[in-house]
Amino acid sequence: MTSILSRSMSTAFDRLSKGMRGVWPTMITPFKDGAKTVDWEMVDSLAEWYVKSGSAGIFSVCLSSEFYQLTNDERLAIASRVHERVAGRVPVVASGTFGGPIEKQAEFMREMAKRVDAVVIVTNQLAGKDESDEKWLENAGKLLSLTGDIPLGFYESPVPYLRLLTPKMLQWAVSSGRFYFHKDGSPNRNQLTAKIEAAASAAAPLNHAFSMYTAKAYLIKDCLDHGGCGFSGISANFYPWMHAWLCENYRDEKAKTVQHFLGVADNVIRQTYPRSAKIYLNRFYGLPITPACRIHDVEPIEEELTKIEFAYNMMEDFCRRLGIPMFSPKTLDQVQ
């Protein structure tokens, strides 16, 4: 098991601590049909595919992973498996807060920290929907005091409710020197850019980088244009190379075209997600992943499948015209 000390010296954590522009796929959990146990062979395949496709890092154990439907043992095992599989090629983060007393959440975070490069705090798990920001900050401060020097991140998950941090709360977090990763759920560019600016103006420790990634496919270029680091969201489970290209080439004259595609296509692929992602990978690349999910386990109707096929065809056409390499999740070979 990788210790916190050895992890902090790893190449992957070194890159995370300096800030990273790019795409962080929100990893789906592959299940076997029937009992819906985790398919570990497919976990390995997905991790390799994310890296091959140009991902800057991997966000394992998140909402896309169906983390509320996983046991604690499964959460720890998935994070550990992914971290060991990528072996320092990219950083791996994982959620570590799932409700209950702050002391219990801190205990689980300490276990998760042995397995990943940073532990992500799910913002809606530190206070109730009707509780104040002051109460949230009180609980967050207590959590930090109980978790030593563990590197941390934030995730503004929309389930069970969306807890958006204010610019002032982000400044507090950055000033602590503990936070490196933030997946932002702001629904519009004004909120997003205000938070990016607030984080940038915080009195962070010397040489400390706080990287903010939008969860919204339609805001990727806005995020990058205003000093954010890129994208962490569901569409990176379909064509992560497009996000990687945009994050690297967001000032290119063709970037707006790619951004427009990603923003519109997101409305199609999110239907019955994460099942839609599993069907997509199997149908168009032959990856032997089952469509089994522990949530939203319903068969997409033909209309949805047709729209997903249109999105695939458009994506393929964009990539061929722009020279963006595509990679098969089954073979890891470049798609011709």
Side-chain angles (χ1 to χ4, degrees):
M1 186 67 65
T2 305
S3 69
I4 294 174
L5 179 61
S6 62
R7 183 207 56 235
S8 69
M9 301 298 290
S10 73
T11 301
F13 179 76
D14 186 58
R15 291 200 297 273
L16 178 64
S17 65
K18 287 180 170 59
M20 300 180 65
R21 187 172 68 239
V23 57
W24 287 64
T26 50
M27 188 169 190
I28 55 176
T29 300
F31 296 110
K32 296 180 179 179
D33 277 329
K36 296 184 181 179
T37 55
V38 177
D39 187 335
W40 296 108
E41 183 178 347
M42 285 299 99
V43 169
D44 292 344
S45 294
L46 288 170
E48 290 290 347
W49 180 61
Y50 294 144
V51 174
K52 185 73 172 181
S53 299
S55 299
I58 299 173
F59 186 5
S60 68
V61 191
C62 54
L63 192 61
S64 288
S65 316
E66 304 174 64
F67 63 1
Y68 292 125
Q69 286 70 42
L70 299 173
T71 66
N72 276 347
D73 286 344
E74 288 173 328
R75 292 164 179 159
L76 295 171
I78 289 170
S80 182
R81 181 82 170 215
V82 175
H83 191 267
E84 291 173 3
R85 185 71 187 189
V86 304
R89 288 174 289 170
V90 299
V92 176
V93 301
S95 302
T97 55
F98 297 96
I102 296 299
E103 293 79 6
K104 292 294 292 184
Q105 296 196 54
E107 180 182 347
F108 186 74
M109 286 176 63
R110 291 193 293 269
E111 283 302 308
M112 185 62 82
K114 300 173 184 177
R115 295 159 171 83
V116 292
D117 296 296
V119 180
V120 178
I121 294 172
V122 184
T123 58
N124 58 34
Q125 296 299 298
L126 300 193
K129 185 176 182 178
D130 297 324
E131 291 186 297
S132 67
D133 288 345
E134 289 70 26
K135 181 62 176 178
W136 187 96
L137 283 165
E138 177 187 334
N139 289 337
K142 185 176 182 180
L143 193 63
L144 264 61
S145 70
L146 293 171
T147 52
D149 61 353
I150 293 172
L152 302 173
F154 280 130
Y155 172 26
E156 294 176 339
S157 171
V159 177
Y161 78 96
L162 181 61
R163 184 93 189 195
L164 292 176
L165 304 187
T166 65
K168 186 176 180 180
M169 293 161 79
L170 272 183
Q171 285 184 321
W172 166 83
V174 175
S175 298
S176 74
R178 294 282 303 279
F179 292 88
Y180 298 88
F181 174 92
H182 175 71
K183 180 180 174 183
D184 191 81
S186 298
N188 61 66
R189 63 171 60 92
N190 290 337
Q191 285 179 285
L192 174 64
T193 56
K195 290 162 78 172
I196 293 173
E197 291 168 2
S201 67
L206 187 65
N207 298 323
H208 177 83
F210 175 78
S211 300
M212 185 180 294
Y213 305 88
T214 180
K216 306 301 182 182
Y218 55 87
L219 290 177
I220 301 173
K221 193 174 185 306
D222 282 312
C223 179
L224 294 161
D225 285 340
H226 290 87
C229 289
F231 177 67
S232 181
I234 70 173
S235 57
N237 284 291
F238 295 78
Y239 27 75
W241 44 79
M242 292 200 74
H243 308 83
W245 183 93
L246 180 58
C247 290
E248 186 65 27
N249 300 280
Y250 66 98
R251 291 191 177 97
D252 189 287
E253 62 181 10
K254 302 169 185 173
K256 283 187 178 180
T257 303
V258 174
Q259 173 62 93
H260 293 163
F261 166 78
L262 292 174
V264 173
D266 192 65
N267 294 316
V268 173
I269 61 174
R270 66 173 50 252
Q271 301 298 320
T272 70
Y273 180 82
R275 185 181 178 90
S276 59
K278 299 174 184 182
I279 291 172
Y280 182 96
L281 296 176
N282 174 263
R283 186 168 188 169
F284 299 114
Y285 297 109
L287 184 70
I289 185 172
T290 74
C293 294
R294 292 179 182 175
I295 57 171
H296 304 318
D297 198 4
V298 294
E299 194 70 38
I301 62 175
E302 190 60 34
E303 177 185 349
E304 292 168 343
L305 294 174
T306 300
K307 290 178 180 178
I308 288 174
E309 183 174 356
F310 287 169
Y312 169 79
N313 291 336
M314 289 179 66
M315 177 278 299
E316 192 175 51
D317 181 59
F318 268 117
C319 290
R320 296 194 191 286
R321 286 194 284 116
L322 296 176
I324 302 174
M326 303 171 283
F327 296 93
S328 165
K330 181 179 181 181
T331 65
L332 299 182
D333 293 332
Q334 185 171 338
V335 176
Q336 302 300 319

